[in-house]
Amino acid sequence: PGTEEVPALTKWKAALCRTVESSVVPDEQMRSGAFSLLVCVAQFACAQIYNGVNQLCVVDGNCTRGLSCIDYDYRSRAFKICGCPGGSSGGINCATPCPRSASSGAICNGQGECDFSAGTCVCNTGWKGANCTVECPGGSSTPCTLQGDCVADGPNRAKCECYSGFRNASCNVECRGGSTAPCSNHGVCNIDGSCTCVGGWRGVACNS
């Protein structure tokens, strides 16, 4: 039932997931199906393992709760896992529809995958939003010009948190003096990359 509580055993499984995620699982074990916790390696939500989602399978009969045995590729390796029929819903009993783009109708806007365990989108790099419809500043191929982290800024926006020495909305402006020593470490780098010098230092890069 949809109100089913997550059993205490799940806490142990979640801890095991974290262990598996942080280790290297030999290819031969993955191929043999020795790890029914493929969910851990694929970075799906560990708390849902108990309901059979993402368990390795061969035919539909191996799956429970109305799940289907579907094809799944992980790092160029082919598996079959128990998932919601059609890959269009998730959550307990597959009752949560995967988010779709309002304009294209595509699941996760075609820019992410639906997490079967929760029915939510896991967006590709460079995309944010519940439906993966928000492109990061700098473009999805080079989000934040690869000089910062793209983070959600509300439900329908994304912004960049620039690394040290870079400024502007897409982190495409390098501070005077260079990113390794912005403003020669003698000033404050402004959003346009210019320097406001401190402590009596002068010059465009506060180096004199």
Side-chain angles (χ1 to χ4, degrees), residues 12-106:
W12 173 82
K13 287 184 175 181
L16 178 61
C17 277
R18 288 192 290 273
T19 300
V20 175
E21 282 180 341
S22 62
S23 63
V24 177
V25 180
D27 284 352
E28 59 269 22
Q29 288 182 309
M30 293 290 289
R31 294 195 192 97
S32 69
F35 274 80
S36 63
L37 299 181
L38 172 62
V39 56
C40 303
V41 185
Q43 297 180 347
F44 282 100
C46 297
Q48 295 291 338
I49 296 175
Y50 78 96
N51 72 6
V53 172
N54 296 319
Q55 182 174 344
L56 291 171
C57 59
V58 178
V59 295
D60 287 348
N62 300 141
C63 302
T64 60
R65 299 175 180 248
L67 300 177
S68 297
C69 189
I70 60 177
D71 293 326
Y72 177 73
D73 289 327
Y74 178 66
R75 294 186 178 178
S76 301
R77 289 173 291 195
F79 300 94
K80 283 185 176 293
I81 62 173
C82 295
C84 297
S88 60
S89 60
I92 295 176
N93 296 332
C94 300
T96 305
C98 296
R100 292 178 179 270
S101 164
S103 57
S104 68

Side-chain angles (χ1 to χ4, degrees), residues 84 95 115 161 181:
C84 297
D115 181 346
E161 293 181 347

Side-chain angles (χ1 to χ4, degrees), residues 111-196:
Q111 300 297 343
E113 294 185 356
C114 185
D115 181 346
F116 294 140
S117 64
T120 57
C121 289
V122 179
C123 300
N124 297 336
T125 299
W127 294 89
K128 298 294 179 185
N131 301 346
C132 304
T133 54
V134 180
E135 190 172 16
C136 294
S140 57
S141 59
T142 56
C144 303
T145 322
L146 306 181
Q147 302 296 349
D149 295 320
C150 181
V151 298
D153 185 22
N156 299 306
R157 294 174 57 186
K159 67 178 181 180
C160 293
E161 293 181 347
C162 301
Y163 302 148
S164 177
F166 291 92
R167 295 290 187 270
N168 207 4
S170 58
C171 307
N172 62 337
V173 175
E174 188 174 18
C175 297
R176 301 292 177 86
S179 59
T180 56
C183 302
S184 305
N185 295 325
H186 297 135
V188 176
C189 181
N190 302 310
I191 192 169
D192 62 356
S194 65
C195 294
T196 299

